[in-house]
Amino acid sequence: MATGQSKSKKPAQQPAQNRAGAEHPGRDKEHYHALLLDSVSDTIISQDTNLIIVSWNKAAENIYGYKAEEAIGRKMNELLRFEFPGFTRRQILEITNEKGSWKGEAHVINRTGKPITLLVSLARLFDEEGVCTGYVSVAKDITDNRDAEDKVIRSELFYRNLIAESADGIILADEKGMVTFSGLSGDRLLGFEPREVNGRNIIDFVHPDERK
């Protein structure tokens, strides 16, 4: 027999994982950011205004050879010695503080003694009130790219020297017939200095009767 009273329904139980996330949203957000930083291949390092390392991601561990717990709380120059072609560390900080960021190339020898070339971006960090709290640097390892470029340069230099010393008259031209290189032997054959030949069309040095 109905009594007219309705039974109250119990609220649906949330999954334990969702309840934990609702109880600690800040902690979950920090954990997500930490996972995100560790998933990228570039080094991401943050420092406070005194240049003390605050965070050090997994890529930094792999490239530089120091674990996060070894790096955090210390200054970068206590761990590694960076060289920035054309800049000093002081100049880079001055540019970053004035313009907000700096980007350039850096060379460093890591903990294991391996020389590394990096493309580095440095920027200032600000809190919600617009106060500068430190710096963040992102660095990409471009060592393999630079090594490949150096090999090409060395190869070109080797063959240019080989051609220049050849007794045969050797002249290099592009697909349009413009001279890109003339060795000293070519100079003796044509009667022109290399600087007078380079940049001109090779047809200019062919006798008119032979052009047809």
Side-chain angles (χ1 to χ4, degrees):
M1 185 176 193
T3 60
Q5 294 180 350
S6 61
K7 294 182 179 180
S8 60
K9 293 183 179 180
K10 293 183 179 180
Q13 292 289 330
Q14 290 182 327
Q17 184 177 2
N18 291 345
R19 292 201 307 271
E23 293 172 4
H24 306 285
R27 187 168 64 187
D28 280 359
K29 188 175 181 180
E30 291 177 1
H31 179 64
Y32 171 77
H33 286 166
L35 290 176
L36 186 63
L37 291 179
D38 283 342
S39 68
V40 299
S41 59
D42 296 346
T43 72
I44 301 178
I45 299 168
S46 63
Q47 299 166 275
D48 64 18
T49 53
N50 294 316
L51 303 182
I52 302 297
I53 296 170
V54 177
S55 67
W56 183 275
N57 74 338
K58 197 70 176 179
E61 291 186 345
N62 296 334
I63 291 176
Y64 298 133
Y66 289 92
K67 295 294 184 182
E69 55 268 26
E70 296 177 289
I72 293 174
R74 302 173 68 180
K75 290 189 174 184
M76 186 69 82
N77 58 10
E78 296 176 15
L79 304 173
L80 301 159
R81 182 178 177 181
F82 284 83
E83 293 183 359
F84 304 93
F87 296 92
T88 65
R89 291 175 62 89
R90 181 185 295 274
Q91 288 174 329
I92 291 172
L93 278 176
E94 289 176 350
I95 293 171
T96 304
N97 288 329
E98 179 182 347
K99 298 184 177 180
S101 64
W102 175 87
K103 185 176 183 178
E105 194 170 292
H107 303 284
V108 65
I109 296 178
N110 72 1
R111 191 177 194 175
T112 64
K114 178 184 176 181
I116 299 172
T117 302
L118 302 155
L119 182 61
V120 181
S121 296
L122 180 67
R124 299 173 74 192
L125 289 174
F126 298 88
D127 62 16
E128 295 178 353
E129 298 178 355
V131 178
C132 180
T133 58
Y135 306 88
V136 61
S137 64
V138 179
K140 178 183 290 293
D141 185 351
I142 58 172
T143 306
D144 292 342
N145 295 344
R146 282 291 180 268
D147 288 345
E149 290 175 2
D150 289 343
K151 287 180 181 178
V152 170
I153 292 172
R154 288 195 298 269
S155 177
E156 288 182 350
L157 182 61
F158 171 77
Y159 284 108
R160 281 182 178 271
N161 289 336
L162 187 64
I163 290 171
E165 296 174 3
S166 173
D168 298 324
I170 299 177
I171 296 174
L172 303 180
D174 61 19
E175 67 277 4
K176 295 181 180 180
M178 304 303 293
V179 177
T180 59
F181 176 81
S182 175
L184 295 177
S185 53
D187 162 39
R188 291 192 294 269
L189 289 175
L190 296 175
F192 292 93
E193 293 286 339
R195 57 185 174 80
E196 298 176 289
V197 177
N198 293 337
R200 294 177 61 181
N201 196 294
I202 197 168
I203 298 298
D204 294 343
F205 303 98
V206 178
H207 192 278
D209 294 340
E210 300 294 334
R211 296 180 187 179
K212 297 179 181 180

